[in-house]
Amino acid sequence: GAVVSQHPSWVICKSGTSVKIECRSLDFQATTMFWYRQFPKQSLMLMATSNEGSKATYEQGVEKDKFLINHASLTLSTLTVTSAHPEDSSFYICSAPGQGWVKNIQYFGAGTRLSVL
Amino acid sequence: AQTVTQSQPEMSVQEAETVTLSCTYDTSESDYYLFWYKQPPSRQMILVIRQEAYKQQNATENRFSVNFQKAAKSFSLKISDSQLGDAAMYFCAYRFQGGSEKLVFGKGTKLTVNP
């Protein structure tokens, strides 16, 4: 099946710094990727839809300037948490739809745990 | 807007027994997909099973099967012969067939498997 790689798996940063998270589709192309945020013991909350070659589409209530998304190639989307603060600490997950007969299935990265001190 | 409801925050089952997780959803669309994803302690989301709304036949994947009731907007997951490795959070998800590919998730059910 399709594989989505997410890096890093865990990052600790100081308050006020920026952190970049990468999401790669390893064996398929993804014109669209999705970024989620998950709080402990809660469900996944969609933050934004990443579109290759164009601007991301953000969900209501998500700060565009805080969470910068870039989808510069068909296999890579990045999420940058700018000027991170402790309240940004969370688990971030990306996903991409498969291709062909699995195009209706979302494949997920392993997630990134962000801890802001 | 579409919503997905999982009314069981937690469930438990004895090893080798059968358990059913409930999911209901609300949509005005007729063409859509439904999914069950599993999130073990590693937090990697894993697809368990999917169902196309236009198919009347319930999907089955080995020990996992669904009971899809389109009119009632119900999509329950049955796990047979439960194994310790089935312990995880289970999320029910909906996706409209047209337009955006984004998923709408329920709040999840934590499944514990007792030896």
Side-chain angles (χ1 to χ4, degrees):
Chain A
V3 177
V4 174
S5 174
Q6 190 172 338
H7 178 81
S9 58
W10 193 0
V11 57
I12 303 173
C13 70
K14 293 181 179 181
S15 184
T17 62
S18 294
V19 173
K20 181 184 286 188
I21 302 170
E22 294 186 345
C23 181
R24 294 180 185 273
S25 56
L26 293 187
D27 49 0
F28 65 104
Q29 295 180 335
T31 56
T32 302
M33 291 185 177
F34 299 91
W35 287 96
Y36 298 85
R37 184 172 181 175
Q38 186 179 31
F39 292 102
K41 299 183 179 180
Q42 293 190 22
S43 188
L44 282 69
M45 180 190 76
L46 180 65
M47 299 174 63
T49 303
S50 175
N51 304 299
E52 188 268 334
S54 64
K55 293 183 179 180
T57 305
Y58 290 82
E59 296 298 305
Q60 189 173 7
V62 177
E63 299 178 61
K64 300 178 182 182
D65 296 332
K66 160 68 76 175
F67 300 101
L68 298 180
I69 291 173
N70 183 274
H71 196 150
S73 78
L74 288 171
T75 59
L76 174 64
S77 174
T78 60
L79 168 68
T80 301
V81 183
T82 62
S83 186
H85 290 283
E87 58 266 28
D88 299 323
S89 297
S90 191
F91 193 69
Y92 294 88
I93 308 174
C94 69
S95 74
Q99 290 186 316
W101 71 280
V102 293
K103 64 179 180 179
N104 297 314
I105 297 175
Q106 291 280 342
Y107 293 92
F108 288 81
T112 297
R113 180 186 298 180
L114 171 62
S115 298
V116 185
L117 304 178
Chain B
Q2 294 87 4
T3 58
V4 176
T5 302
Q6 293 179 248
S7 59
Q8 307 154 316
E10 296 187 19
M11 290 283 284
S12 63
V13 63
Q14 290 295 128
E15 195 175 4
E17 296 294 309
T18 296
V19 64
T20 299
L21 307 185
S22 300
C23 173
T24 59
Y25 57 95
D26 186 24
T27 183
S28 58
E29 305 295 341
S30 59
D31 298 321
Y32 50 88
Y33 302 95
L34 296 165
F35 306 86
W36 279 98
Y37 278 91
K38 167 185 177 180
Q39 188 180 42
S42 68
R43 303 189 80 171
Q44 170 73 61
M45 294 287 284
I46 302 166
L47 177 67
V48 175
I49 199 165
R50 65 170 171 165
Q51 174 81 42
E52 292 91 339
Y54 68 87
K55 290 186 177 179
Q56 293 185 341
Q57 186 173 7
N58 290 323
T60 300
E61 288 288 342
N62 300 313
R63 297 183 295 106
F64 300 88
S65 62
V66 298
N67 183 1
F68 173 49
Q69 301 291 327
K70 190 172 184 178
K73 296 180 182 176
S74 172
F75 183 61
S76 61
L77 173 69
K78 185 171 82 171
I79 305 174
S80 303
D81 186 25
S82 297
Q83 300 176 0
L84 295 177
D86 295 333
M89 282 291 292
Y90 285 82
F91 293 100
C92 179
Y94 164 100
R95 204 213 99 177
F96 174 47
Q97 185 171 340
S100 171
E101 297 164 296
K102 60 184 179 182
L103 294 172
V104 177
F105 284 95
K107 292 187 175 182
T109 297
K110 181 180 179 182
L111 177 66
T112 301
V113 181
N114 300 309

